[in-house]
Amino acid sequence: MKSSTPVITIDGPSGAGKGTIAQMLALELNWNILDSGALYRTLAFLLHQENISLNQFAEKKEKIQKDFKVQFDPGVIGEPVRVIFNNIDITNKVRNEEIAKKTSMLAADPSIREFIRPCQREFMKHPGLIADGRDMGTVIFPDANLKIFLTASLEERAKRREQQLKRQGMEVNMRVLLEELEDRDQKDREREHSPLVAAKDSVELDTTNIKPEGVIKKIKALPFFN
Ligand code: DC
């Protein structure tokens, strides 16, 4: 059964273009946006800030739940979706490689995924939701109206991540970036819980050498929009 609030899921590996495409669709349709990767990143940031280890998570869960108030602002095209945590913009604090590494470890833990699951469903609000992540179409919104799975070559994805980090004023070593991206992707694909995999009923799009506008054009040509 499809949900009453329409949901479009956009899954895929890092740098496949999910963030940009989700942002463009959310702005164009005027729908809500869920950047689930940023939700995991914010939890990693909170645990780090509060000095809470994964082992202590179960006993501190209630308090963490109270403190974990995250909102997303699609912002403007060309800039990342803004992450608002307890009314403070923490976008640059969570969109860096240090937090990404911590997040990848955290996201493999079943108790963390179980904690985040209801937080994600709460974003499903009128008039619709664009949900960006790894398991949006497979696990969190199996009832989504349209499921898209984006891919791109590793080199292209690393190049995009490099440009993104440079725009944020960060120093980037391309070789290290490539290795880290490959390592994280492998972890995301091979983990036991909610691995990165295309939903059977998803539409797969390879975005290598296609500009975001071209990807949007392909998406808008799908039966869902016509
Ligand atoms: O998309 P991102 O780089 O912000 O994601 C950060 C990490 O979170 C990445 O290692 C994958 C993980 N993640 C996940 O396991 N499930 C999601 N739905 C979204 C992200």
Side-chain angles (χ1 to χ4, degrees):
M1 204 182 79
K2 299 287 172 205
S3 56
S4 55
T5 303
V7 177
I8 298 177
T9 58
I10 305 181
D11 290 304
S14 308
K18 302 183 304 290
T20 306
I21 299 305
Q23 178 189 47
M24 287 169 86
L25 280 178
L27 286 169
E28 193 172 324
L29 300 171
N30 211 6
W31 284 11
N32 301 293
I33 191 164
L34 160 63
D35 181 340
S36 61
L39 207 57
Y40 281 98
R41 284 170 185 257
T42 304
L43 187 58
F45 172 78
L46 172 66
L47 296 187
H48 178 68
Q49 200 181 36
E50 303 279 318
N51 213 2
I52 298 171
S53 70
L54 197 49
N55 292 339
Q56 297 167 307
F57 184 76
E59 63 180 274
K60 308 224 166 162
K61 208 160 120 183
E62 268 175 42
K63 158 112 179 60
I64 296 168
Q65 196 139 32
K66 271 196 208 116
D67 294 342
F68 196 58
K69 302 271 176 276
V70 186
Q71 289 167 304
F72 297 106
D73 174 349
V76 293
I77 290 174
E79 285 181 23
V81 167
R82 314 303 302 175
V83 187
I84 317 294
F85 176 50
N86 291 333
N87 297 319
I88 298 169
D89 188 329
I90 58 158
T91 310
N92 288 350
K93 290 205 166 87
V94 294
R95 296 200 191 281
N96 58 62
E97 290 304 289
E98 195 195 335
I99 286 284
K101 218 185 279 175
K102 286 194 171 76
T103 309
S104 182
M105 263 172 51
L106 203 68
D109 188 276
S111 65
I112 296 287
R113 301 203 76 87
E114 200 184 311
F115 172 85
I116 290 234
R117 187 192 172 106
C119 307
Q120 297 177 122
R121 295 282 304 185
E122 274 175 30
F123 284 87
M124 195 168 62
K125 289 199 178 114
H126 181 80
L129 176 67
I130 309 290
D132 154 355
R134 305 292 189 289
D135 61 343
M136 297 294 98
T138 48
V139 178
I140 307 299
F141 301 104
D143 47 353
N145 304 70
L146 173 62
K147 299 179 185 179
I148 296 165
F149 193 84
L150 296 182
T151 58
S153 70
L154 177 65
E155 289 70 25
E156 170 102 8
R157 295 190 288 111
K159 228 186 287 161
R160 289 178 188 167
R161 187 46 63 97
E162 180 192 29
Q163 283 165 2
Q164 200 177 47
L165 292 171
K166 277 189 173 163
R167 271 202 301 271
Q168 287 169 239
M170 291 174 202
E171 295 260 331
V172 188
N173 177 325
M174 193 56 177
R175 192 181 54 80
V176 175
L177 192 68
L178 252 166
E179 279 171 16
E180 288 183 347
L181 202 66
E182 203 169 12
D183 181 55
R184 268 210 315 278
D185 277 354
Q186 193 179 355
K187 283 202 178 85
D188 291 342
R189 283 182 207 279
E190 292 177 358
R191 69 179 174 221
E192 189 186 346
H193 304 280
S194 305
L196 169 64
V197 59
K200 283 199 183 74
D201 50 349
S202 65
V203 178
E204 288 197 45
L205 289 174
D206 185 337
T207 70
T208 314
N209 299 324
I210 308 181
K211 289 206 176 80
E213 294 74 19
V215 179
I216 292 287
K217 209 166 152 192
K218 280 180 189 273
I219 292 174
K220 297 290 286 292
L222 294 170
F224 176 79
F225 287 100
N226 295 287

